[in-house]
Amino acid sequence: MRHAFDIDGTETEVWLARDGQAYRLEGDAGRARVSLDGQGLDRELSVDSRREPVLMVIEGEVIHLHLGGRTYQVRHLDPARRFADADDSAGGDVARAPMPGTVVRVDVAVGDAVTTGDPLVVIESMKLETTIRAWHDGVIAELHVAAGQSFDRDAPLVTLGSGAV
């Protein structure tokens, strides 16, 4: 499954899949088998046959990694936030599908007031369910999908207006 991370202010996309007790990671820099062993703050990161100690601290959505004498800030980018883009003509934001899939359930209706984090739509892609949540307070301006409908990558799912809640 494709994931996006913000690493020290740079957006990076990778494919990540389970590979036994580790993960297979594939991106622009190549392919590697990675695992993180140990518990607590001090762990060991394995990338293919190379192993390095890593100090890891989680602060909210940000993971601070100290590795090889350098500190990195890593944050997983939520697909709904990432694909939400401003639509000035409609006065709202549109959540777009991060990958092809099917709508499992729609939890809102046009005109519903929502607050940040409220579930809007549940989608299924590659046998994984993802809940698209409100990325800010607002009113549902438009639903572009219905339960059972399939969609392609980047298809609009929900338009969230900036109306008062």
Side-chain angles (χ1 to χ4, degrees):
M1 172 179 244
R2 189 177 68 165
H3 293 271
F5 296 91
D6 178 325
I7 303 173
D8 288 339
T10 301
E11 189 172 307
T12 302
E13 286 190 8
V14 295
W15 283 91
L16 187 64
R18 289 291 288 175
D19 186 4
Q21 296 298 314
Y23 288 91
R24 189 170 15 94
L25 185 70
E26 187 171 331
D28 291 339
R31 177 186 287 185
R33 188 171 192 268
V34 297
S35 66
L36 186 62
D37 301 316
Q39 295 188 5
L41 300 178
D42 292 310
R43 297 182 176 201
E44 189 171 78
L45 178 67
S46 298
V47 178
D48 290 329
S49 60
R50 227 175 82 203
R51 301 178 73 77
E52 291 218 24
V54 60
L55 178 66
M56 184 173 84
V57 175
I58 300 172
E59 181 182 22
E61 294 183 333
V62 178
I63 300 171
H64 302 271
L65 294 174
H66 186 77
L67 175 69
R70 190 166 165 224
T71 300
Y72 302 89
Q73 290 185 348
V74 179
R75 184 172 59 92
H76 182 258
L77 298 175
D78 180 88
R81 279 192 215 160
R82 186 162 178 253
F83 285 92
D85 53 24
D87 181 355
D88 293 336
S89 63
D93 298 330
V94 178
R96 296 187 176 276
M99 63 190 76
T102 304
V103 177
V104 174
R105 187 178 72 241
V106 177
D107 292 332
V108 292
V110 172
D112 284 356
V114 295
T115 58
T116 303
D118 284 350
L120 306 177
V121 176
V122 177
I123 61 174
E124 187 257 309
S125 296
M126 300 176 70
K127 299 183 181 182
L128 180 69
E129 285 192 3
T130 302
T131 300
I132 305 299
R133 298 181 180 279
W135 53 97
H136 64 73
D137 296 353
V139 174
I140 302 300
E142 192 171 351
L143 284 169
H144 303 277
V145 292
Q149 181 180 345
S150 20
F151 52 82
D152 291 323
R153 182 182 185 276
D154 205 33
L157 301 173
V158 178
T159 299
L160 184 58
S162 58
V165 176

